[in-house]
Amino acid sequence: MIRRDDLERLAPLARSITGDGVRATLDIVRESLPIEVVEVPSGTPVLDWTIPDEWNLRRAWIADADGRVLVDTDESALHVVSYSEPVRLQMSFEELRPRLHTLPDRPAWIPYRTSYWNRTWGFCLAHDRLDALAAAPSPLEVVVDTTLQPGSLTYGELVVPGRGDRELLVSTHVCHPSMVNDNASGIAALAEIGRRLLDGPALQHRVRLLFVPGTIGSIAWLAQHLDVVARVDGGLVLTGLGDGAPLTYKSSRRGDTRIDRIARRVVTRRDPLARLLPWDPYGYDERQFCSPGFDLAVGRLTRGVHGTYPEYHTSADDLAFTSTERVDEAVEAVHEILRAVDGDDVLVSRQPHGEPQLGRRGLYRALAGMVDSKSTEVASLWVLSLADGQHGIDDVVERSGLAREIVEGAVERLDAAELVELMAPDAPNGVSVGP
Ligand code: ZN
């Protein structure tokens, strides 16, 4: 179970793509899960990118000429643009105004802004605080007490051992400060998934859990794990699991992988309002895992979708906006998906090259005498055509629209004729490549 306390402790930390906020986050995870913490030095080339300098926030604030503090990251880490370079200035409100980011439509909320790759600085604040700043005794004292210098990028990783050496990957980003649904809920959910996997019976697959800064973190991990990528049979990117929206599954780039089919079935069965989204190139770290060179079978599970709910990337993404029960429901769904991808038997054809001659085996005659011969015959053809080691009985039922009993009957007869076998997804299937 996700504890409220976990979200309360994780949420306020001043996370960014590097720095002590990420380390403090991983320390909390490590209290209950033996993750390995990996440091990748600034300047390290990773795929087409380079690990940036490390950013740390001590405090950023704006005070008036009387020393009264008007904006302060000690209240919320959102108050400073993430990766702001250090400054200490005295200036008028008019001079400062271009550096102040607000949400005029949501005047009580603080927006979340970052500038990882362009050196700048700025403050984020509730729009309705601007008047107080404008009226405050001038000059304003503006202090961004940050460090931005060579250090490292930090990520967390845990490999839950499996009986075989194939892998499933579950990833969440750990770079958003002071917000609960995106991304404290993903971190708490992934930690809970790890605890449950470690406590439960070993799966056939290893399950690799990644707590990585968004984009640059998954790119760094991929760059350093090219050998692992080839062993990944499927995965999920998690975040935003505690808001009021229904479970929402976004398919992998390929869209019809085993985990896509299983995840779509699991979420729609668990949540009648569940939403199924096709691949699109915008989003979270599924963009990296599914890029053509890796092309992993990695989908994404969220509730609300980034950018589509008003609280997204603002201070209103808080504890009141996020329900632990809904995060728990999502954790249950992830478990069911992982177990099914790991354990549900798949159909493997013994005669995959061309259609086997059913008449010679007495299967045509047997079929012809049956009441529902058309459906039974069609079921056999569906089973044979999907028996590629990637599809199971559920897939045939879904794709064919036939009743489960008819599909199961077809599998039984084809099995008896030694044409099709149901086996664990990782078992050597004996199917040769090419006719
Ligand atoms: Zn986000």
Side-chain angles (χ1 to χ4, degrees):
M1 297 275 282
I2 304 290
R3 292 174 310 171
R4 194 85 192 148
D5 185 48
D6 293 334
L7 294 182
E8 282 169 6
R9 290 174 66 210
L10 286 166
L13 298 175
R15 279 175 290 270
S16 186
I17 54 171
T18 62
D20 290 336
V22 176
R23 294 190 189 98
T25 298
L26 298 179
D27 281 345
I28 292 176
V29 172
R30 204 145 50 150
E31 289 171 13
S32 62
L33 195 69
I35 54 170
E36 184 193 352
V37 173
V38 180
E39 301 280 352
V40 187
S42 299
T44 306
V46 286
L47 306 181
D48 193 46
W49 300 60
T50 303
I51 301 295
D53 281 351
E54 178 178 327
W55 184 75
N56 280 293
L57 168 69
R58 273 192 289 264
R59 188 181 169 198
W61 76 92
I62 303 169
D64 67 16
D66 297 336
R68 202 161 53 100
V69 176
L70 303 169
V71 176
D72 189 350
T73 55
D74 280 355
E75 272 177 40
S76 168
L78 290 173
H79 275 311
V80 70
V81 172
S82 188
Y83 259 70
S84 281
E85 56 190 356
V87 294
R88 189 176 284 268
L89 295 166
Q90 293 203 329
M91 58 206 304
S92 69
F93 174 76
E94 288 69 30
E95 288 170 314
L96 177 61
R97 183 65 186 89
R99 303 279 188 171
L100 303 178
H101 306 278
T102 67
L103 295 169
D105 295 346
R106 307 274 175 182
W109 299 356
I110 310 166
Y112 166 48
R113 296 285 182 268
T114 67
S115 185
Y116 304 135
W117 307 102
N118 297 309
R119 289 218 168 181
T120 184
W121 62 271
F123 285 85
C124 302
L125 63 155
H127 193 75
D128 57 17
R129 279 216 212 172
L130 282 179
D131 287 348
L133 249 71
S138 208
L140 299 172
E141 187 193 11
V142 177
V143 178
V144 178
D145 187 3
T146 55
T147 55
L148 185 49
Q149 55 201 32
S152 56
L153 171 145
T154 312
Y155 68 82
E157 181 173 26
L158 173 71
V159 180
V160 179
R163 294 194 301 274
D165 70 349
R166 303 294 298 173
E167 298 203 4
L168 301 173
L169 191 70
V170 193
S171 163
T172 195
H173 57 274
V174 294
C175 50
H176 292 28
S178 299
M179 289 174 290
V180 184
N181 192 47
D182 182 18
N183 60 184
S185 78
I187 301 166
L190 189 54
E192 173 66 11
I193 288 161
R195 290 190 292 267
R196 289 180 52 166
L197 286 169
L198 284 177
D199 287 348
L203 301 185
Q204 184 65 31
H205 287 79
R206 292 177 193 151
V207 184
R208 191 177 292 260
L209 310 182
L210 298 180
F211 300 82
V212 289
T215 306
I216 186 69
S218 55
I219 284 174
W221 182 86
L222 282 161
Q224 299 183 331
H225 293 81
L226 299 177
D227 54 327
V228 171
V229 167
R231 295 199 296 266
V232 173
D233 283 338
L236 293 170
V237 168
L238 307 178
T239 191
L241 298 171
D243 62 83
L247 287 172
T248 302
Y249 180 72
K250 173 185 168 182
S251 293
S252 73
R253 191 177 70 98
R254 279 184 270 158
D256 191 36
T257 68
R258 208 166 126 65
I259 197 164
D260 289 319
R261 294 189 296 270
I262 287 171
R264 289 192 290 252
R265 277 198 293 272
V266 168
V267 301
T268 48
R269 213 197 49 252
R270 285 180 166 269
D271 189 342
L273 299 173
R275 298 178 297 186
L276 303 177
L277 304 179
W279 170 256
D280 82 79
Y282 193 53
Y284 288 108
D285 285 326
E286 69 275 12
R287 292 151 64 179
Q288 314 311 328
F289 298 125
C290 294
S291 59
F294 297 116
D295 200 21
L296 295 180
V298 173
R300 186 189 73 200
L301 189 68
T302 63
R303 289 187 180 276
V305 173
H306 55 89
T308 63
Y309 53 97
E311 295 84 356
Y312 169 76
H313 282 190
T314 75
S315 56
D317 178 355
D318 59 11
L319 287 160
F321 181 66
T322 310
S323 141
T324 51
E325 291 72 28
R326 294 180 72 75
V327 180
D328 278 324
E329 284 171 15
V331 166
E332 292 290 340
V334 171
H335 256 270
E336 188 179 345
I337 293 166
L338 295 178
R339 280 197 304 267
V341 173
D342 181 71
D344 282 6
D345 286 348
V346 291
L347 292 158
V348 176
S349 174
R350 291 293 167 201
Q351 292 290 336
H353 303 113
E355 208 165 79
Q357 195 182 357
L358 297 179
R360 174 157 63 81
R361 295 174 171 86
L363 289 172
Y364 249 68
R365 204 170 36 247
L367 296 172
M370 291 186 178
V371 180
D372 199 2
S373 71
K374 182 148 189 349
S375 285
T376 312
E377 179 176 314
V378 168
S380 293
L381 296 178
W382 269 112
V383 170
L384 285 165
S385 103
L386 292 179
D388 59 356
Q390 294 294 311
H391 294 77
I393 286 179
D394 285 339
D395 295 314
V396 179
V397 171
E398 186 177 287
R399 281 283 283 278
S400 68
L402 296 168
R404 170 174 289 276
E405 312 83 74
I406 292 170
V407 172
E408 284 173 346
V411 170
E412 233 166 79
R413 276 187 301 280
L414 292 166
D415 187 14
E418 296 188 344
L419 287 174
V420 155
E421 234 180 298
L422 259 179
M423 50 173 59
D426 283 332
N429 59 26
V431 175
S432 62
V433 178

